[in-house]
Amino acid sequence: MMSNASGIESLSDESRLCVERLVRAGNELEKLDLSDQPREKLAAVLVLLYQKAGELRVVLTTRSKLLRAHPGQTSLPGGKVDESDPSLTYTALREAHEEVGLALDCPHIHTVCVLRPFLSSSQLLVTPVVALLTDLDVLATLRPCVGEVDQIFSHPLEAILDPSLLADKEPLVPKGSEHWPYQQELYNTSDVIVEAFDNFVYRMHRFRSCASPIKGLTADILIHVAEIAYDKKTAYEVCAPGQAGAALALIRLRMAQYKGLVTSS
């Protein structure tokens, strides 16, 4: 895990506080024990942060349009656990290596924390692994895996809390284009009933970016990370009425169901 000797001393005061809060959250927040869950139901994603111009940014990808699942959508590097993976942290790093060419043994990648899992629409328990990149030269070595990733890009983490921070700050995809067909300038949301989530009402967040919109599970994970890092709430309502308690309850329900699969096998 992150230590004072891991490049944190080179961060701005605000970025350092963000990383320290994430480290503390990883140690203090409630853990959900996934050790008794079937491995085929587990996945992990890498929330790779780095500082540029005094602010934290997160590395994202646009999935290939050739993929069957979620083609052309924004995602965090990551994927399902392999039988040989020794940990969820390794899974996230291995998938990042496969998808964007991040070296598995990169000395400039420092694990900050592992957060509680999220439930994907495909019913996977997805664990976010937050890491800090301390040498920006590594970014120039990243290459999208042909057939899996169309584009690698980044987004300011704090703008996930308040999309207005993006205004006139950096180039974004044109409004009305394929990647931002919405009327709103920077942020769009809608409440939908999701059958995969046992028909509870789910709030879909969409953030305009320099590439594909950040939405769905990726947005949910980044909201959680950003709220911890900056110790403040979003400029918008995160949950639909009744969603907050239902989401965590559904994760616990799926864990109990999956544990039953292991017990009965």
Side-chain angles (χ1 to χ4, degrees):
M1 287 294 178
M2 197 81 191
S3 70
N4 288 334
S6 301
I8 193 172
E9 68 281 352
S10 64
L11 300 177
S12 67
D13 289 344
E14 181 178 50
S15 295
R16 186 183 303 112
L17 280 173
C18 287
V19 172
E20 289 173 352
R21 292 186 190 110
L22 286 164
V23 170
R24 189 160 57 247
N27 292 329
E28 297 177 358
L29 290 183
E30 179 187 9
K31 298 287 194 305
L32 296 180
D33 184 9
L34 299 177
S35 62
D36 57 1
Q37 299 296 303
R39 293 176 74 84
E40 64 269 19
K41 295 296 186 181
L42 301 179
V45 293
L46 183 65
V47 183
L48 183 59
L49 305 176
Y50 66 92
Q51 180 180 271
K52 184 177 181 181
E55 68 176 7
L56 290 177
R57 301 182 69 91
V58 59
V59 174
L60 296 162
T61 70
T62 301
R63 292 169 59 84
S64 170
K65 291 184 178 180
L66 301 175
L67 294 172
R68 287 182 297 174
H70 312 295
Q73 293 189 12
T74 298
S75 69
L76 293 156
K80 296 181 69 173
V81 170
D82 279 355
E83 283 299 325
S84 58
D85 290 348
S87 68
L88 290 166
T89 297
Y90 183 86
T91 298
L93 292 170
R94 175 184 55 74
E95 287 284 341
H97 172 67
E98 295 173 3
E99 292 178 9
V100 300
L102 183 69
L104 272 174
D105 58 352
C106 179
H108 308 294
I109 302 293
H110 311 280
T111 303
V112 175
C113 65
V114 177
L115 298 174
R116 60 103 172 153
F118 287 70
L119 186 66
S120 74
S121 59
S122 56
Q123 305 300 292
L124 294 175
L125 296 166
V126 182
T127 295
V129 177
V130 183
L132 180 69
L133 171 64
T134 53
D135 184 351
L136 301 194
D137 289 342
V138 172
L139 296 172
T141 70
L142 301 184
R143 297 290 184 272
C145 175
V146 176
E148 287 195 40
V149 174
D150 279 350
Q151 186 174 1
I152 302 169
F153 66 101
S154 70
H155 196 80
L157 183 63
E158 192 175 10
I160 293 293
L161 298 178
D162 184 359
S164 70
L165 295 176
L166 276 184
D168 303 320
K169 186 174 183 179
E170 55 186 272
L172 302 172
V173 292
K175 186 177 175 182
S177 67
E178 172 192 0
H179 288 311
W180 193 255
Y182 313 106
Q183 291 297 315
Q184 295 83 359
E185 287 293 329
L186 299 167
Y187 168 75
N188 172 275
T189 187
S190 59
D191 292 349
V192 294
I193 296 175
V194 181
E195 184 178 356
F197 295 158
D198 292 3
N199 293 312
F200 81 68
V201 179
Y202 168 77
R203 179 156 293 172
M204 170 72 76
H205 302 278
R206 305 175 185 90
F207 300 90
R208 189 176 172 189
S209 77
C210 65
S212 44
I214 302 166
K215 64 180 184 177
L217 178 65
T218 299
D220 295 340
I221 290 173
L222 292 182
I223 290 169
H224 185 55
V225 171
E227 284 188 327
I228 294 171
Y230 290 95
D231 192 27
K232 60 184 180 183
K233 297 297 183 182
T234 58
Y236 48 85
E237 289 293 329
V238 172
C239 295
Q243 179 186 341
L248 191 54
L250 184 59
I251 292 172
R252 294 183 184 279
L253 173 62
R254 289 292 184 270
M255 289 177 63
Q257 292 169 335
Y258 296 163
K259 183 178 179 180
L261 293 175
V262 174
T263 303
S264 61
S265 62

